[in-house]
Protein backbone atom coordinates (compact mmCIF):
# COMPACT_ATOMS: atom_id res chain seq x y z
CA UNK A 1 0.00 0.00 0.00
CA UNK A 2 1.39 3.41 -0.96
CA UNK A 3 1.93 6.40 1.28
CA UNK A 4 -1.42 8.13 1.80
CA UNK A 5 0.10 11.56 1.38
CA UNK A 6 -0.20 14.98 2.99
CA UNK A 7 -2.83 17.65 2.52
CA UNK A 8 -1.91 21.35 2.36
CA UNK A 9 -2.70 23.52 5.37
CA UNK A 10 -3.62 27.19 5.65
CA UNK A 11 -0.84 29.27 7.16
CA UNK A 12 -0.63 33.05 7.03
CA UNK A 13 -3.62 33.14 4.70
CA UNK A 14 -1.96 30.87 2.15
CA UNK A 15 -2.04 27.16 1.34
CA UNK A 16 1.30 25.53 2.14
CA UNK A 17 2.58 22.01 2.56
CA UNK A 18 2.76 21.00 6.25
CA UNK A 19 6.54 20.79 5.96
CA UNK A 20 8.78 23.15 7.92
CA UNK A 21 12.47 23.68 7.27
CA UNK A 22 14.11 23.77 10.69
CA UNK A 23 16.07 26.97 11.29
CA UNK A 24 19.72 26.32 12.10
CA UNK A 25 22.12 28.97 13.38
CA UNK A 26 24.78 30.12 12.99
CA UNK A 27 24.37 30.57 9.20
CA UNK A 28 23.50 26.90 8.50
CA UNK A 29 20.07 27.98 7.26
CA UNK A 30 19.97 31.16 5.20
CA UNK A 31 18.01 32.93 2.48
CA UNK A 32 19.00 30.47 -0.25
CA UNK A 33 17.73 27.38 1.55
CA UNK A 34 14.70 28.92 3.25
CA UNK A 35 13.62 30.87 0.18
CA UNK A 36 13.83 27.71 -1.92
CA UNK A 37 11.88 25.71 0.69
CA UNK A 38 9.10 28.30 0.58
CA UNK A 39 9.21 28.40 -3.23
CA UNK A 40 8.63 24.62 -3.15
CA UNK A 41 5.44 25.28 -1.19
CA UNK A 42 6.67 24.69 2.36
CA UNK A 43 7.49 26.90 5.34
CA UNK A 44 11.09 28.06 5.01
CA UNK A 45 12.91 29.26 8.10
CA UNK A 46 15.62 31.90 8.13
CA UNK A 47 17.91 31.54 11.13
CA UNK A 48 18.08 34.94 12.81
CA UNK A 49 20.94 33.81 15.05
CA UNK A 50 23.87 36.02 14.01
CA UNK A 51 23.00 35.67 10.35
CA UNK A 52 25.36 36.71 7.55
CA UNK A 53 25.47 40.15 5.98
CA UNK A 54 27.00 40.98 2.58
CA UNK A 55 28.94 43.85 1.06
CA UNK A 56 28.12 45.61 -2.22
CA UNK A 57 29.81 42.79 -4.16
CA UNK A 58 27.66 40.18 -2.44
CA UNK A 59 30.57 38.85 -0.39
CA UNK A 60 30.10 37.70 3.22
CA UNK A 61 31.08 40.32 5.82
CA UNK A 62 33.08 38.65 8.63
CA UNK A 63 31.76 39.55 12.07
CA UNK A 64 34.82 41.25 13.60
CA UNK A 65 34.59 42.96 16.97
CA UNK A 66 36.44 46.18 17.75
CA UNK A 67 35.14 47.28 21.17
CA UNK A 68 37.43 46.80 24.15
CA UNK A 69 34.69 45.74 26.59
CA UNK A 70 32.25 42.84 26.56
CA UNK A 71 29.32 45.26 26.70
CA UNK A 72 30.71 47.11 23.68
CA UNK A 73 31.21 43.92 21.71
CA UNK A 74 27.72 42.77 22.70
CA UNK A 75 26.31 45.97 21.18
CA UNK A 76 28.27 45.24 17.98
CA UNK A 77 26.93 41.68 17.96
CA UNK A 78 23.33 42.91 18.17
CA UNK A 79 23.91 45.26 15.22
CA UNK A 80 25.43 42.41 13.19
CA UNK A 81 22.52 40.14 14.17
CA UNK A 82 19.78 42.56 13.14
CA UNK A 83 21.47 43.62 9.90
CA UNK A 84 22.19 40.02 8.91
CA UNK A 85 18.74 38.64 9.65
CA UNK A 86 17.00 41.51 7.85
CA UNK A 87 19.15 40.90 4.78
CA UNK A 88 18.45 37.16 4.89
CA UNK A 89 14.69 37.64 5.25
CA UNK A 90 14.51 40.07 2.33
CA UNK A 91 16.47 37.75 0.07
CA UNK A 92 14.47 34.69 1.12
CA UNK A 93 11.20 36.51 0.49
CA UNK A 94 12.34 37.42 -3.00
CA UNK A 95 13.34 33.83 -3.78
CA UNK A 96 10.01 32.49 -2.48
CA UNK A 97 8.21 34.65 -5.10
CA UNK A 98 4.90 34.61 -3.29
CA UNK A 99 4.86 30.86 -2.61
CA UNK A 100 4.94 29.08 0.74
CA UNK A 101 5.89 31.14 3.78
CA UNK A 102 8.98 32.57 5.46
CA UNK A 103 9.50 32.16 9.20
CA UNK A 104 12.43 33.30 11.29
CA UNK A 105 13.97 31.31 14.11
CA UNK A 106 15.58 32.74 17.23
CA UNK A 107 17.01 31.21 20.38
CA UNK A 108 15.63 32.87 23.47
CA UNK A 109 18.96 32.19 25.18
CA UNK A 110 20.93 34.14 22.59
CA UNK A 111 22.35 37.45 23.76
CA UNK A 112 19.95 40.35 23.29
CA UNK A 113 17.26 38.00 21.91
CA UNK A 114 14.36 40.40 22.45
CA UNK A 115 16.26 43.36 21.01
CA UNK A 116 17.31 41.34 17.95
CA UNK A 117 13.84 39.91 17.34
CA UNK A 118 12.17 43.31 17.63
CA UNK A 119 14.81 44.92 15.43
CA UNK A 120 14.36 42.31 12.70
CA UNK A 121 10.57 42.36 12.75
CA UNK A 122 10.52 46.16 12.64
CA UNK A 123 12.51 46.15 9.40
CA UNK A 124 10.79 43.18 7.72
CA UNK A 125 7.11 44.04 8.13
CA UNK A 126 4.99 42.06 5.72
CA UNK A 127 7.80 39.64 4.86
CA UNK A 128 7.83 37.32 7.90
CA UNK A 129 4.84 35.05 8.50
CA UNK A 130 5.91 33.63 11.85
CA UNK A 131 8.60 33.28 14.50
CA UNK A 132 9.79 29.98 15.93
CA UNK A 133 11.56 30.29 19.23
CA UNK A 134 13.05 27.85 21.71
CA UNK A 135 16.18 27.31 23.84
CA UNK A 136 14.69 28.78 26.97
CA UNK A 137 11.23 29.83 28.12
CA UNK A 138 10.26 32.70 25.79
CA UNK A 139 7.33 34.13 27.73
CA UNK A 140 7.56 37.43 25.85
CA UNK A 141 7.28 35.81 22.42
CA UNK A 142 3.50 36.20 22.19
CA UNK A 143 3.60 39.83 23.25
CA UNK A 144 6.25 40.63 20.61
CA UNK A 145 4.31 38.71 17.95
CA UNK A 146 1.17 40.72 18.77
CA UNK A 147 3.04 44.01 18.45
CA UNK A 148 4.24 43.13 14.94
CA UNK A 149 1.17 41.07 13.95
CA UNK A 150 3.07 37.91 13.08
CA UNK A 151 2.40 34.33 14.08
CA UNK A 152 4.47 32.64 16.75
CA UNK A 153 5.42 28.99 17.09
CA UNK A 154 6.95 28.16 20.49
CA UNK A 155 9.39 25.24 20.62
CA UNK A 156 8.90 22.90 23.58
CA UNK A 157 9.94 19.39 24.54
CA UNK A 158 7.06 18.57 26.88
CA UNK A 159 3.46 19.37 27.71
CA UNK A 160 4.62 20.77 31.02
CA UNK A 161 6.76 23.42 29.32
CA UNK A 162 3.87 24.41 27.06
CA UNK A 163 1.48 24.72 30.00
CA UNK A 164 3.85 27.08 31.81
CA UNK A 165 4.19 29.32 28.73
CA UNK A 166 0.45 29.27 28.01
CA UNK A 167 -0.70 30.09 31.53
CA UNK A 168 1.80 32.89 32.00
CA UNK A 169 1.52 34.63 28.64
CA UNK A 170 0.35 32.82 25.52
CA UNK A 171 -3.34 32.57 26.45
CA UNK A 172 -3.51 36.36 26.04
CA UNK A 173 -2.49 36.10 22.35
CA UNK A 174 -4.06 32.77 21.43
CA UNK A 175 -5.12 33.81 17.93
CA UNK A 176 -1.54 34.33 16.70
CA UNK A 177 -0.15 31.02 17.99
CA UNK A 178 0.04 29.19 14.65
CA UNK A 179 1.51 25.93 15.96
CA UNK A 180 3.47 24.38 18.79
CA UNK A 181 6.77 22.76 17.84
CA UNK A 182 7.57 19.55 19.71
CA UNK A 183 11.35 19.20 19.50
CA UNK A 184 12.33 15.69 20.50
CA UNK A 185 15.29 15.95 22.89
CA UNK A 186 16.73 12.57 21.91
CA UNK A 187 16.37 12.93 18.14
CA UNK A 188 16.72 16.59 17.15
CA UNK A 189 20.00 18.27 16.29
CA UNK A 190 21.31 21.35 18.05
CA UNK A 191 20.10 22.51 21.44
CA UNK A 192 17.07 20.87 23.03
CA UNK A 193 14.92 20.96 26.14
CA UNK A 194 15.93 17.72 27.87
CA UNK A 195 15.05 18.23 31.53
CA UNK A 196 17.03 17.14 34.57
CA UNK A 197 14.34 14.54 35.26
CA UNK A 198 14.98 12.82 31.93
CA UNK A 199 17.81 10.42 31.16
CA UNK A 200 19.88 11.43 28.10
CA UNK A 201 20.83 7.78 27.58
CA UNK A 202 17.23 6.49 27.58
CA UNK A 203 15.28 7.89 24.61
CA UNK A 204 11.52 7.99 24.97
CA UNK A 205 9.05 7.24 22.19
CA UNK A 206 7.87 10.61 20.83
CA UNK A 207 4.27 9.46 20.22
CA UNK A 208 3.09 9.39 23.87
CA UNK A 209 4.94 12.65 24.55
CA UNK A 210 3.22 14.39 21.63
CA UNK A 211 -0.12 12.84 22.64
CA UNK A 212 0.39 14.25 26.12
CA UNK A 213 1.27 17.65 24.66
CA UNK A 214 -1.97 17.60 22.65
CA UNK A 215 -3.95 16.66 25.75
CA UNK A 216 -2.36 19.58 27.59
CA UNK A 217 -3.24 21.93 24.73
CA UNK A 218 -6.84 20.68 24.71
CA UNK A 219 -7.12 21.16 28.46
CA UNK A 220 -6.13 24.80 27.94
CA UNK A 221 -8.72 25.26 25.21
CA UNK A 222 -6.37 25.16 22.20
CA UNK A 223 -8.25 23.64 19.24
CA UNK A 224 -6.95 20.56 17.41
CA UNK A 225 -6.65 22.70 14.27
CA UNK A 226 -3.56 24.35 15.81
CA UNK A 227 -0.88 21.91 14.64
CA UNK A 228 1.86 20.27 16.61
CA UNK A 229 5.08 20.33 14.58
CA UNK A 230 7.04 17.11 15.01
CA UNK A 231 10.73 18.06 14.97
CA UNK A 232 13.56 15.58 15.34
CA UNK A 233 14.22 12.24 13.68
CA UNK A 234 11.83 12.75 10.76
CA UNK A 235 13.23 11.25 7.56
CA UNK A 236 10.73 9.17 5.57
CA UNK A 237 7.16 10.42 6.05
CA UNK A 238 5.87 6.88 5.43
CA UNK A 239 7.37 5.98 8.82
CA UNK A 240 5.07 8.58 10.40
CA UNK A 241 1.92 7.64 8.49
CA UNK A 242 0.00 6.73 11.65
CA UNK A 243 0.54 10.32 12.88
CA UNK A 244 -1.26 11.82 9.87
CA UNK A 245 -5.03 12.37 10.27
CA UNK A 246 -4.80 10.79 13.71
CA UNK A 247 -7.60 12.07 16.00
CA UNK A 248 -5.47 11.39 19.09
CA UNK A 249 -2.85 13.86 17.92
CA UNK A 250 -4.88 16.47 16.05
CA UNK A 251 -3.24 18.39 13.21
CA UNK A 252 0.42 17.43 12.66
CA UNK A 253 3.12 19.22 10.69
CA UNK A 254 6.61 17.80 10.11
CA UNK A 255 9.88 19.69 10.50
CA UNK A 256 13.10 18.83 8.72
CA UNK A 257 16.34 20.18 10.08
CA UNK A 258 19.00 17.67 9.05
CA UNK A 259 17.91 16.64 5.54
CA UNK A 260 17.99 20.23 4.15
CA UNK A 261 21.69 20.46 5.09
CA UNK A 262 22.50 18.34 2.05
CA UNK A 263 20.94 20.29 -0.82
CA UNK A 264 22.31 22.44 -3.62
CA UNK A 265 21.03 25.58 -1.89
CA UNK A 266 22.26 24.67 1.59
CA UNK A 267 24.86 27.28 2.61
CA UNK A 268 27.08 24.96 4.65
CA UNK A 269 30.57 24.32 3.20
CA UNK A 270 31.18 21.32 0.95
CA UNK A 271 33.39 19.59 3.54
CA UNK A 272 30.48 19.60 6.00
CA UNK A 273 28.14 18.18 3.35
CA UNK A 274 30.68 15.50 2.45
CA UNK A 275 31.11 14.51 6.10
CA UNK A 276 27.36 14.02 6.53
CA UNK A 277 27.50 11.23 3.92
CA UNK A 278 29.99 9.25 6.05
CA UNK A 279 28.07 9.08 9.32
CA UNK A 280 27.06 5.82 10.96
CA UNK A 281 24.37 5.17 13.60
CA UNK A 282 25.61 6.54 16.93
CA UNK A 283 27.90 9.13 15.37
CA UNK A 284 25.80 11.99 16.75
CA UNK A 285 26.29 12.66 20.47
CA UNK A 286 23.76 14.14 22.89
CA UNK A 287 26.03 16.11 25.21
CA UNK A 288 26.04 18.91 27.79
CA UNK A 289 29.23 20.81 26.95
CA UNK A 290 27.35 23.78 25.47
CA UNK A 291 27.91 27.07 27.33
CA UNK A 292 24.12 27.55 27.32
CA UNK A 293 23.77 24.81 29.92
CA UNK A 294 21.32 22.99 27.63
CA UNK A 295 21.84 19.56 26.18
CA UNK A 296 22.59 19.56 22.46
CA UNK A 297 23.32 17.06 19.72
CA UNK A 298 26.31 17.24 17.39
CA UNK A 299 28.54 14.96 15.33
CA UNK A 300 31.20 13.10 17.30
CA UNK A 301 34.42 14.55 15.93
CA UNK A 302 37.80 15.38 17.48
CA UNK A 303 36.42 18.72 18.74
CA UNK A 304 33.67 17.01 20.73
CA UNK A 305 35.84 14.08 21.79
CA UNK A 306 38.42 16.54 23.14
CA UNK A 307 35.74 18.15 25.30
CA UNK A 308 34.74 14.70 26.56
CA UNK A 309 38.35 13.84 27.39
CA UNK A 310 38.89 17.21 29.08
CA UNK A 311 36.00 16.59 31.46
CA UNK A 312 37.35 13.12 32.20
CA UNK A 313 40.65 14.68 33.32
CA UNK A 314 38.83 16.23 36.23
CA UNK A 315 39.09 15.85 39.99
CA UNK A 316 37.19 17.47 42.88
CA UNK A 317 39.08 19.43 45.52
CA UNK A 318 38.51 21.15 48.86
CA UNK A 319 40.15 24.36 50.06
CA UNK A 320 40.86 22.72 53.42
CA UNK A 321 41.59 19.17 54.49
CA UNK A 322 38.20 17.47 54.76
CA UNK A 323 36.81 13.95 54.48
CA UNK A 324 38.69 11.92 51.87
CA UNK A 325 40.60 15.03 50.74
CA UNK A 326 43.67 14.33 52.83
CA UNK A 327 46.58 15.30 50.54
CA UNK A 328 47.54 18.50 48.77
CA UNK A 329 47.60 18.65 45.00
CA UNK A 330 51.20 19.31 43.99
CA UNK A 331 50.91 19.53 40.19
CA UNK A 332 49.16 21.91 37.81
CA UNK A 333 48.11 24.45 40.43
CA UNK A 334 49.65 27.34 42.31
CA UNK A 335 49.14 27.54 46.06
CA UNK A 336 48.31 24.99 48.70
CA UNK A 337 44.54 25.29 48.93
CA UNK A 338 43.80 22.25 46.79
CA UNK A 339 43.09 19.20 48.93
CA UNK A 340 42.30 15.99 47.05
CA UNK A 341 42.18 12.25 47.58
CA UNK A 342 45.47 10.34 47.32
CA UNK A 343 44.09 8.43 44.33
CA UNK A 344 43.16 11.65 42.50
CA UNK A 345 46.58 13.13 43.17
CA UNK A 346 48.15 10.13 41.47
CA UNK A 347 45.78 10.51 38.52
CA UNK A 348 46.71 14.19 38.26
CA UNK A 349 50.43 13.38 38.30
CA UNK A 350 49.81 10.90 35.47
CA UNK A 351 48.03 13.52 33.36
CA UNK A 352 50.84 15.98 33.91
CA UNK A 353 53.27 13.33 32.74
CA UNK A 354 51.25 13.12 29.52
CA UNK A 355 51.57 16.86 28.91
CA UNK A 356 48.35 18.08 30.55
CA UNK A 357 50.27 20.32 32.90
CA UNK A 358 47.72 23.10 33.54
CA UNK A 359 44.91 22.68 36.08
CA UNK A 360 41.95 25.03 35.57
CA UNK A 361 39.31 25.58 38.21
CA UNK A 362 35.64 25.01 37.38
CA UNK A 363 32.53 26.45 39.08
CA UNK A 364 31.89 23.05 40.70
CA UNK A 365 34.99 22.90 42.93
CA UNK A 366 36.87 20.68 40.53
CA UNK A 367 39.94 21.20 38.37
CA UNK A 368 40.45 19.97 34.80
CA UNK A 369 43.88 19.29 33.33
CA UNK A 370 44.75 20.67 29.90
CA UNK A 371 47.86 21.36 27.83
CA UNK A 372 49.45 24.84 27.94
CA UNK A 373 48.24 25.50 24.38
CA UNK A 374 44.66 24.58 25.28
CA UNK A 375 44.82 26.79 28.35
CA UNK A 376 45.93 29.72 26.19
CA UNK A 377 43.04 29.20 23.76
CA UNK A 378 40.48 28.89 26.58
CA UNK A 379 41.66 32.06 28.33
CA UNK A 380 41.76 34.04 25.09
CA UNK A 381 38.29 32.90 24.03
CA UNK A 382 36.91 33.79 27.46
CA UNK A 383 38.54 37.22 27.32
CA UNK A 384 37.25 37.84 23.77
CA UNK A 385 33.62 37.08 24.70
CA UNK A 386 31.19 39.15 22.63
CA UNK A 387 28.09 38.27 24.63
CA UNK A 388 26.34 35.97 22.16
CA UNK A 389 24.27 34.28 24.89
CA UNK A 390 22.02 35.68 27.60
CA UNK A 391 23.93 33.53 30.10
CA UNK A 392 27.24 31.92 29.14
CA UNK A 393 28.76 29.25 31.33
CA UNK A 394 32.07 29.36 29.48
CA UNK A 395 32.78 33.07 29.98
CA UNK A 396 30.41 33.87 32.90
CA UNK A 397 28.82 36.61 30.74
CA UNK A 398 25.22 37.75 31.30
CA UNK A 399 23.46 40.16 28.94
CA UNK A 400 21.78 42.33 31.61
CA UNK A 401 22.17 43.92 35.04
CA UNK A 402 25.81 43.58 36.09
CA UNK A 403 26.90 41.60 32.95
CA UNK A 404 28.09 38.60 34.98
CA UNK A 405 26.53 35.29 36.02
CA UNK A 406 28.45 35.56 39.29
CA UNK A 407 29.97 32.14 38.72
CA UNK A 408 33.48 31.12 37.79
CA UNK A 409 34.01 30.87 34.00
CA UNK A 410 33.90 27.17 33.08
CA UNK A 411 36.87 25.73 31.13
CA UNK A 412 34.96 22.51 30.40
CA UNK A 413 32.91 24.36 27.78
CA UNK A 414 33.84 26.46 24.72
CA UNK A 415 33.06 29.66 22.79
CA UNK A 416 30.04 28.60 20.77
CA UNK A 417 29.91 31.73 18.59
CA UNK A 418 33.51 31.26 17.50
CA UNK A 419 33.15 27.61 16.51
CA UNK A 420 29.76 27.93 14.79
CA UNK A 421 30.92 30.93 12.76
CA UNK A 422 34.08 29.04 11.85
CA UNK A 423 32.45 25.82 10.64
CA UNK A 424 29.72 27.71 8.74
CA UNK A 425 32.35 29.64 6.79
CA UNK A 426 34.77 26.91 5.82
CA UNK A 427 36.59 26.04 9.05
CA UNK A 428 37.90 22.56 9.82
CA UNK A 429 34.97 20.15 10.25
CA UNK A 430 37.06 18.02 12.61
CA UNK A 431 37.94 20.89 14.95
CA UNK A 432 34.58 22.65 15.27
CA UNK A 433 31.12 21.93 16.63
CA UNK A 434 29.06 20.26 13.89
CA UNK A 435 25.39 20.17 14.82
CA UNK A 436 23.24 17.39 13.30
CA UNK A 437 20.17 15.38 14.18
CA UNK A 438 20.43 11.75 15.23
CA UNK A 439 19.03 10.51 11.90
CA UNK A 440 21.98 12.00 9.97
CA UNK A 441 23.42 8.48 9.48
CA UNK A 442 20.59 7.91 6.99
CA UNK A 443 22.32 10.06 4.38
CA UNK A 444 24.65 7.10 3.89
CA UNK A 445 21.79 4.57 3.74
CA UNK A 446 19.18 6.43 1.72
CA UNK A 447 19.41 5.51 -1.99
CA UNK A 448 18.22 9.04 -2.85
CA UNK A 449 21.75 10.26 -2.07
CA UNK A 450 23.64 7.46 -3.82
CA UNK A 451 26.40 8.26 -6.31
CA UNK A 452 27.01 11.52 -4.42
CA UNK A 453 23.67 12.94 -5.57
CA UNK A 454 22.85 16.30 -3.99
CA UNK A 455 19.24 17.36 -4.59
CA UNK A 456 17.90 20.86 -4.98
CA UNK A 457 15.50 21.91 -2.24
CA UNK A 458 12.60 21.45 -4.68
CA UNK A 459 13.75 17.91 -5.47
CA UNK A 460 14.03 17.16 -1.74
CA UNK A 461 10.55 18.50 -0.94
CA UNK A 462 9.06 16.57 -3.85
CA UNK A 463 10.80 13.42 -2.62
CA UNK A 464 9.56 13.93 0.96
CA UNK A 465 5.98 14.29 -0.31
CA UNK A 466 6.16 10.79 -1.85
CA UNK A 467 6.76 9.36 1.63
CA UNK A 468 10.50 8.95 1.01
Amino acid sequence: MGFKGLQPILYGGREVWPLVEGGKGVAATNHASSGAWAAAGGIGTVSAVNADSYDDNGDFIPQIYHALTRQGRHAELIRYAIDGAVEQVRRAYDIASGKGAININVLWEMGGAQQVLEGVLEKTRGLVTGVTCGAGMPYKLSEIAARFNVHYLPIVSSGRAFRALWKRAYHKVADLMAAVVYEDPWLAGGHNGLSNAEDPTKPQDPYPRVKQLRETMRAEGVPDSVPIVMAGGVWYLREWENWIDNPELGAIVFQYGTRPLLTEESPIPQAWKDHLRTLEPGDVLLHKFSPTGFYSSAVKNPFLLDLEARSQRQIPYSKVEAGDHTVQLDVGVKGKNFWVTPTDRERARGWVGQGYTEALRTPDDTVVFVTPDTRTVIRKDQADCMGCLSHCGFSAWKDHDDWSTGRLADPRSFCIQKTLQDIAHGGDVEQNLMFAGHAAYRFKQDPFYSNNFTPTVKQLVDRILTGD
Side-chain angles (χ1 to χ4, degrees):
M1 197 169 101
F3 173 60
K4 68 183 176 187
L6 292 175
Q7 296 301 314
I9 61 170
L10 203 61
Y11 177 57
R14 184 178 293 161
E15 271 200 350
V16 300
W17 290 116
L19 300 175
V20 177
E21 173 202 29
K24 299 171 286 295
V26 170
T29 307
N30 74 352
H31 67 275
S33 57
S34 54
W37 194 274
I43 301 170
T45 308
V46 167
S47 170
V49 182
N50 297 108
D52 289 350
S53 299
Y54 309 99
D55 62 21
D56 292 339
N57 297 321
D59 295 326
F60 159 66
I61 299 173
Q63 296 184 10
I64 298 169
Y65 297 88
H66 303 283
L68 298 179
T69 65
R70 285 183 174 184
Q71 294 97 301
R73 293 192 292 272
H74 177 63
E76 290 179 284
L77 176 128
I78 288 174
R79 285 196 297 275
Y80 278 131
I82 294 173
D83 291 348
V86 169
E87 178 71 14
Q88 295 297 333
V89 167
R90 288 174 177 164
R91 290 182 176 218
Y93 186 83
D94 288 345
I95 292 169
S97 300
K99 300 185 183 73
I102 298 294
N103 282 354
I104 60 173
N105 177 63
V106 293
L107 276 73
W108 198 246
E109 282 298 310
M110 72 185 193
Q114 183 172 347
Q115 197 176 340
V116 171
L117 181 55
E118 291 172 342
V120 174
L121 291 175
E122 179 64 46
K123 295 181 178 182
T124 57
R125 289 180 183 270
L127 309 183
V128 172
T129 306
V131 180
T132 56
C133 184
M137 293 294 277
Y139 294 110
K140 293 184 179 177
L141 179 61
S142 54
E143 168 198 325
I144 296 168
R147 209 174 326 134
F148 293 95
N149 194 31
V150 297
H151 292 291
Y152 66 101
L153 302 83
I155 301 171
V156 299
S157 291
S158 68
R160 186 179 66 175
F162 172 76
R163 183 186 290 116
L165 290 165
W166 178 264
K167 286 192 175 298
R168 179 161 165 183
Y170 293 178
H171 71 277
K172 300 172 189 171
V173 194
D175 57 318
L176 288 177
M177 189 177 74
V180 177
V181 181
Y182 169 75
E183 186 178 58
D184 190 277
W186 293 277
L187 294 173
H191 291 101
N192 64 66
L194 192 75
S195 74
N196 291 330
E198 293 161 333
D199 188 337
T201 65
K202 294 180 179 174
Q204 295 180 21
D205 180 359
Y207 187 95
R209 292 173 67 90
V210 171
K211 179 171 175 279
Q212 190 262 330
L213 171 58
R214 177 60 75 188
E215 289 166 355
T216 302
M217 291 167 66
R218 285 173 181 150
E220 299 300 340
V222 179
D224 278 14
S225 56
V226 174
I228 293 174
V229 181
M230 175 61 208
V234 183
W235 197 270
Y236 299 130
L237 277 184
R238 54 182 157 79
E239 297 172 341
W240 301 81
E241 193 155 19
N242 67 320
W243 288 52
I244 301 167
D245 303 324
N246 183 330
E248 270 195 331
L249 301 180
I252 292 288
V253 168
F254 296 95
Q255 178 167 306
Y256 285 85
T258 298
R259 282 190 82 169
L261 287 170
L262 192 50
T263 62
E264 292 284 354
E265 295 91 343
S266 167
I268 65 171
Q270 191 60 46
W272 189 347
K273 293 181 182 181
D274 292 343
H275 195 75
L276 290 171
R277 297 180 186 274
T278 70
L279 299 178
E280 301 283 354
D283 278 354
V284 173
L285 178 69
L286 178 59
H287 66 90
K288 209 177 183 186
F289 300 119
S290 169
T292 61
F294 291 109
Y295 279 94
S296 65
S297 290
V299 174
K300 281 186 201 171
N301 62 2
F303 176 85
L304 211 51
L305 295 174
D306 181 63
L307 286 167
E308 268 196 315
R310 188 187 306 172
S311 276
Q312 287 163 2
R313 293 189 304 273
Q314 179 174 198
I315 56 175
Y317 71 91
S318 304
K319 293 178 182 176
V320 295
E321 184 177 1
D324 294 336
H325 294 179
T326 57
V327 297
Q328 289 178 307
L329 188 60
D330 55 6
V331 290
V333 296
K334 294 176 182 175
K336 298 182 178 180
N337 296 329
F338 294 88
W339 291 83
V340 298
T341 68
T343 301
D344 281 344
R345 184 169 68 177
E346 288 309 308
R347 292 170 69 210
R349 287 171 175 172
W351 295 328
V352 168
Q354 294 167 16
Y356 302 102
T357 57
E358 308 292 315
L360 302 178
R361 291 190 302 135
T362 81
D364 299 319
D365 293 331
T366 65
V367 287
V368 292
F369 283 78
V370 299
T371 65
D373 286 349
T374 298
R375 179 190 186 280
T376 299
V377 170
I378 289 171
R379 293 302 188 223
K380 182 178 187 326
D381 287 349
Q382 288 170 333
D384 289 346
C385 172
M386 72 295 286
C388 76
L389 299 174
S390 64
H391 298 77
C392 177
F394 177 65
S395 68
W397 154 268
K398 185 175 69 174
D399 71 355
H400 52 283
D401 300 333
D402 61 357
W403 312 105
S404 170
T405 62
R407 286 171 62 80
L408 197 65
D410 195 337
R412 295 168 296 188
S413 189
F414 56 92
C415 176
I416 196 163
Q417 181 72 202
K418 173 188 167 184
T419 186
L420 291 181
Q421 287 284 358
D422 196 33
I423 193 169
H425 298 106
D428 189 344
V429 296
E430 299 288 357
Q431 297 301 330
N432 282 295
L433 184 69
M434 187 192 299
F435 280 143
H438 289 259
Y441 69 89
R442 301 184 83 164
F443 282 121
K444 189 173 183 179
Q445 299 179 353
D446 188 337
F448 186 52
Y449 301 95
S450 59
N451 300 315
N452 266 351
F453 176 65
T454 301
T456 63
V457 167
K458 177 70 164 67
Q459 288 171 322
L460 174 60
V461 171
D462 287 347
R463 177 79 170 192
I464 288 169
L465 287 168
T466 69
D468 281 351

